[in-house]
Amino acid sequence: MRGAWSGDRPFIAVVTGAASGIGRALAEQLHGRGAELVLADLDPAVEGVAARLGGTAVSADVSDPEAMEQLAERSPRARFVCLNAGIVGPSVGAPWEVPAAEWDRVFAVNVAGVANGLRAFVPRLLAAGEPAHVLVTASLAGMAVFPGGGAYGPSKHAVTALVTHAAMALEGTPARIGMICPALVATGMSPLGADPADVAREALRAVDDGVFAVVPPEWRAAVVDQVAGVARGAPPAPPAPAG
Ligand SMILES: NC(=O)c1ccc[n+]([C@@H]2O[C@H](COP(=O)([O-])OP(=O)(O)OC[C@H]3O[C@@H](n4cnc5c(N)ncnc54)[C@H](O)[C@@H]3O)[C@@H](O)[C@H]2O)c1
């Protein structure tokens, strides 16, 4: 990937969910690295972000395959694609407390949103035959299972599986895919957590370094322990950070 954005030539980057939080921070970091930006969101606030960063704003719902196809059509020279848009439903309790329509919407945005992005962009990236990268915003909730959280955690587990599958399928091509799996980040989604600018900076550094998945170091053992316990047949326990 490094060649596509290391400053030896300009590159075009697309970011979904760019009106706020991690997406906006990714757009800012990519702008700082000289990218020409195409910023997509449902929220009209994306227009202000695009204007500030000299990019193009696109109103698009990632859960709509046609909208993602149109987004890819209007950015044919994009070589860096951040599939970042995501939502938490209003119900954050046990699975049976989440209404059916809410399961559908959370999965439509978080999972189908990523699949729609891959379907729209990956064939074009492969046809271009140049170094390219897809960066997906998954979540720590897609690596470990936390009590509660409604449909969000299951949707993010689907996202991490999707990205892992896509990475295997892209092996041997000039296109790469990776994901970030942050714990809490202070955005429109959470009042608490890491600074989205730090998350975005670390995400791009990981792309530079060829790191497939960015998982906060203090959570890595908990992720492994939970899977190891379940693989042994032990009842699941909530994960906890080290230290
Ligand atoms: N904030 C956290 O603690 C945290 C932790 C781990 C992962 N994440 C993930 O980070 C990503 C970004 O979320 P954030 O924390 O920056 O929240 P945010 O609410 O600040 O930003 C999300 C953006 O996505 C947009 N969006 C929502 N649905 C959309 C749709 N259907 N089509 C297009 N755009 C849509 C929103 O309008 C918003 O601008 C999400 O995938 C989220 O699951 C967040």
XYZ file of all heavy atoms in Angstrom, residues 16-24 40-43 60-63 83-88 105 109-110 137-141 152 156 180-190 192-193 196, ligand 1:
361
model
N -16.515 6.485 4.232
C -17.949 6.499 4.571
C -18.104 6.830 6.058
O -17.220 6.543 6.868
C -18.633 5.147 4.273
O -18.138 4.152 5.191
C -18.398 4.694 2.844
N -19.218 7.450 6.391
C -19.431 7.883 7.774
C -18.462 8.999 8.129
O -17.966 9.068 9.258
N -18.216 9.901 7.162
C -17.154 10.908 7.324
C -17.641 12.192 7.983
O -16.845 13.098 8.192
C -16.540 11.217 5.960
N -18.932 12.271 8.316
C -19.443 13.517 8.900
C -19.035 13.681 10.358
O -19.121 14.781 10.903
C -20.966 13.551 8.789
N -18.590 12.602 11.002
C -18.425 12.633 12.458
C -17.374 11.622 12.897
O -17.006 10.713 12.133
C -19.799 12.294 13.081
O -19.713 12.064 14.459
N -16.901 11.787 14.117
C -16.140 10.752 14.813
C -14.917 10.219 14.081
O -14.081 10.975 13.574
N -14.816 8.893 14.038
C -13.626 8.232 13.479
C -13.515 8.505 11.972
O -12.419 8.728 11.459
C -13.680 6.714 13.761
C -13.662 6.448 15.279
C -12.504 5.994 13.092
C -13.966 4.992 15.668
N -14.647 8.516 11.269
C -14.621 8.772 9.827
C -14.094 10.160 9.526
O -13.257 10.341 8.627
N -14.562 11.139 10.272
C -14.080 12.512 10.071
C -12.584 12.594 10.386
O -11.819 13.235 9.677
C -14.878 13.474 10.968
C -14.524 14.929 10.767
C -15.469 15.828 11.540
N -15.441 15.539 12.976
C -16.408 15.886 13.841
N -17.478 16.519 13.414
N -16.310 15.584 15.118
N -18.477 10.380 2.204
C -19.879 9.961 2.112
C -20.493 9.852 3.500
O -19.841 9.421 4.457
C -19.968 8.616 1.398
N -21.749 10.237 3.594
C -22.501 10.097 4.853
C -23.968 10.355 4.561
O -24.301 10.954 3.537
C -21.973 11.106 5.906
C -22.217 10.646 7.329
O -23.391 10.546 7.724
O -21.242 10.384 8.055
N -24.802 9.908 5.463
C -26.228 10.240 5.423
C -26.458 11.643 5.957
O -27.441 12.293 5.604
C -26.988 9.297 6.371
C -27.424 7.936 5.928
C -28.088 7.230 7.106
C -28.398 8.077 4.783
N -25.577 12.063 6.851
C -25.728 13.322 7.569
C -25.199 14.466 6.691
O -24.035 14.423 6.266
C -24.920 13.230 8.884
C -25.091 14.443 9.773
O -25.468 15.516 9.264
O -24.820 14.313 10.984
N -24.919 9.444 0.851
C -25.101 8.022 0.527
C -25.403 7.235 1.784
O -24.821 7.476 2.845
C -23.827 7.463 -0.127
N -26.321 6.289 1.649
C -26.635 5.352 2.729
C -25.897 4.051 2.406
O -26.198 3.399 1.394
C -28.151 5.124 2.775
C -28.569 4.187 3.902
O -27.718 3.410 4.404
O -29.753 4.218 4.279
N -24.958 3.668 3.260
C -24.125 2.491 2.951
C -24.939 1.194 2.867
O -24.484 0.219 2.276
C -22.971 2.313 3.965
C -22.020 3.500 3.925
C -23.500 2.072 5.384
N -26.132 1.206 3.464
C -26.949 -0.014 3.420
C -27.637 -0.194 2.068
O -28.254 -1.229 1.821
C -27.998 -0.001 4.540
O -29.001 0.955 4.263
N -14.261 1.938 4.792
C -15.653 1.538 5.031
C -15.867 1.631 6.539
O -15.553 0.706 7.287
C -15.904 0.130 4.478
C -15.607 -0.010 2.973
C -15.778 -1.454 2.517
C -16.475 0.927 2.138
N -16.338 2.784 6.946
C -16.303 3.141 8.367
C -17.675 3.351 8.981
O -17.842 3.164 10.193
C -15.459 4.426 8.500
C -15.681 5.140 9.797
O -15.101 4.781 10.824
N -16.545 6.155 9.798
N -18.686 3.700 8.176
C -20.001 4.046 8.740
C -20.548 2.888 9.568
O -20.418 1.717 9.199
C -20.985 4.390 7.624
N -21.148 3.218 10.694
C -21.749 2.188 11.540
C -22.673 2.828 12.551
O -22.622 4.034 12.792
N -23.532 1.997 13.116
C -24.507 2.496 14.106
C -24.620 1.519 15.278
O -24.304 0.329 15.150
C -25.921 2.683 13.491
C -26.437 1.368 12.871
C -25.929 3.801 12.473
C -27.911 1.409 12.478
N -25.083 2.053 16.390
C -25.531 1.239 17.527
C -27.038 1.415 17.595
O -27.532 2.539 17.471
C -24.910 1.737 18.848
C -25.343 0.854 20.005
C -23.417 1.776 18.776
N -31.838 -3.320 10.871
C -31.176 -2.049 10.521
C -29.703 -2.067 10.916
O -28.842 -1.635 10.148
C -31.908 -0.873 11.192
C -31.366 0.486 10.796
C -31.452 0.738 9.294
N -30.798 1.995 8.899
C -30.420 2.280 7.651
N -30.635 1.431 6.667
N -29.846 3.427 7.379
N -26.720 -1.708 8.098
C -25.702 -0.648 8.037
C -24.311 -1.230 8.301
O -23.371 -1.035 7.514
C -26.021 0.477 9.058
C -24.897 1.513 9.069
C -27.359 1.130 8.733
N -24.170 -1.970 9.401
C -22.829 -2.383 9.829
C -22.254 -3.504 8.971
O -21.049 -3.509 8.686
C -22.858 -2.839 11.296
C -23.159 -1.683 12.252
O -23.360 -0.557 11.829
N -23.206 -1.969 13.541
N -13.685 -0.133 9.531
C -13.816 0.134 10.965
C -14.718 -0.951 11.552
O -15.932 -0.922 11.385
C -14.401 1.527 11.230
O -13.609 2.502 10.545
C -14.380 1.830 12.719
N -14.089 -1.919 12.188
C -14.843 -2.960 12.899
C -14.992 -2.484 14.338
O -15.403 -1.340 14.569
C -14.112 -4.299 12.791
N -14.632 -3.288 15.306
C -14.748 -2.893 16.719
C -14.139 -3.995 17.584
O -14.106 -5.164 17.176
C -16.224 -2.725 17.101
O -16.368 -2.512 18.489
N -13.714 -3.614 18.783
C -13.332 -4.641 19.760
C -14.517 -5.573 20.006
O -14.331 -6.772 20.254
C -12.898 -3.971 21.075
C -12.463 -4.920 22.186
C -11.213 -5.699 21.786
C -12.232 -4.159 23.484
N -15.743 -5.021 19.876
C -16.958 -5.829 20.068
C -17.144 -6.857 18.954
O -18.047 -7.683 19.027
C -18.183 -4.916 20.154
N -25.346 -4.889 18.203
C -24.081 -4.292 17.750
C -22.937 -5.307 17.702
O -22.256 -5.450 16.677
C -23.720 -3.121 18.668
C -22.463 -2.384 18.253
C -22.499 -1.485 17.185
C -21.249 -2.568 18.927
C -21.347 -0.799 16.808
C -20.114 -1.878 18.544
C -20.160 -0.994 17.491
O -19.023 -0.323 17.109
N -20.741 -6.679 14.512
C -19.301 -6.421 14.347
C -18.514 -7.736 14.247
O -17.462 -7.776 13.609
C -18.787 -5.533 15.486
C -19.277 -4.092 15.375
C -18.744 -3.386 14.123
C -19.157 -1.926 14.049
N -18.587 -1.200 12.905
N -9.680 -1.880 11.811
C -9.389 -1.400 13.161
C -10.509 -1.902 14.068
O -11.670 -1.963 13.669
C -9.227 0.135 13.225
C -10.456 0.870 12.674
C -7.986 0.555 12.480
C -10.418 2.377 12.907
N -10.107 -2.285 15.272
C -11.051 -2.863 16.238
C -10.945 -2.083 17.546
O -10.512 -2.617 18.573
C -10.724 -4.336 16.473
S -10.728 -5.321 14.955
N -11.335 -0.793 17.518
C -11.128 0.013 18.718
C -12.075 -0.362 19.853
O -13.179 -0.862 19.615
C -11.396 1.442 18.242
C -11.966 1.365 16.882
C -11.931 -0.056 16.411
N -11.610 -0.095 21.083
C -12.508 -0.091 22.241
C -13.244 1.258 22.188
O -13.374 1.828 21.112
C -11.698 -0.279 23.513
N -13.701 1.787 23.295
C -14.496 3.017 23.240
C -13.698 4.185 22.663
O -12.534 4.385 22.998
C -14.979 3.389 24.646
C -16.128 2.540 25.214
C -16.503 3.038 26.606
C -17.339 2.543 24.289
N -14.361 4.929 21.789
C -13.783 6.129 21.188
C -14.803 7.247 21.395
O -16.013 7.029 21.219
C -13.533 5.922 19.671
C -12.798 7.120 19.083
C -12.749 4.634 19.420
N -14.340 8.433 21.771
C -15.250 9.550 22.059
C -15.732 10.162 20.741
O -15.018 10.931 20.096
C -14.538 10.597 22.910
N -16.951 9.780 20.339
C -17.540 10.217 19.062
C -19.031 10.450 19.274
O -19.501 10.388 20.411
C -17.381 9.109 17.988
O -18.174 7.988 18.395
C -15.934 8.666 17.818
N -19.768 10.594 18.186
C -21.217 10.683 18.294
C -21.817 9.424 18.896
O -22.939 9.431 19.388
N -21.052 8.325 18.854
C -21.553 7.034 19.345
C -21.290 6.832 20.830
O -21.964 6.036 21.475
C -20.852 5.930 18.547
C -21.484 4.587 18.642
S -20.647 3.409 17.562
C -21.455 3.711 16.012
N -20.293 7.493 21.366
C -19.893 7.272 22.760
C -19.348 8.565 23.367
O -18.488 9.207 22.757
C -18.801 6.186 22.813
O -18.143 6.214 24.060
N -17.518 8.675 25.934
C -16.238 8.352 26.561
C -15.321 7.668 25.566
O -15.798 7.061 24.605
C -16.443 7.360 27.725
C -17.371 7.774 28.853
C -17.595 6.589 29.799
C -16.774 8.954 29.602
N -14.023 7.720 25.882
C -13.104 6.891 25.116
C -11.950 7.646 24.516
O -11.716 8.832 24.806
N -10.624 10.294 18.693
C -10.688 9.723 17.341
C -9.477 10.063 16.482
O -9.100 9.272 15.605
C -11.987 10.302 16.754
C -12.505 11.278 17.726
C -11.811 11.086 19.034
N -17.190 5.210 19.143
C -16.820 4.008 19.573
O -16.672 3.743 20.791
C -16.501 2.919 18.560
C -15.743 1.817 18.972
C -15.446 0.810 18.043
C -15.895 0.942 16.734
N -16.636 2.011 16.367
C -17.093 2.092 14.977
O -16.579 3.268 14.378
C -17.367 3.584 13.244
C -17.627 5.064 13.231
O -18.451 5.399 14.346
P -18.131 6.627 15.301
O -17.780 6.110 16.615
O -17.225 7.577 14.627
O -19.617 7.229 15.458
P -20.287 8.542 14.889
O -21.731 8.355 15.185
O -19.598 9.741 15.406
O -20.034 8.465 13.314
C -20.691 7.537 12.483
C -21.027 8.234 11.173
O -21.630 7.266 10.298
C -22.740 7.879 9.671
N -23.706 6.861 9.267
C -24.515 6.127 10.073
N -25.270 5.317 9.323
C -24.935 5.549 8.037
C -25.385 5.011 6.817
N -26.359 4.092 6.763
N -24.812 5.453 5.664
C -23.852 6.407 5.707
N -23.396 6.952 6.839
C -23.940 6.538 7.992
C -23.302 8.826 10.720
O -24.148 9.826 10.134
C -22.038 9.382 11.334
O -21.578 10.531 10.658
C -18.619 2.717 13.335
O -18.508 1.635 12.438
C -18.586 2.220 14.762
O -19.259 0.998 14.913
C -16.956 3.023 17.247
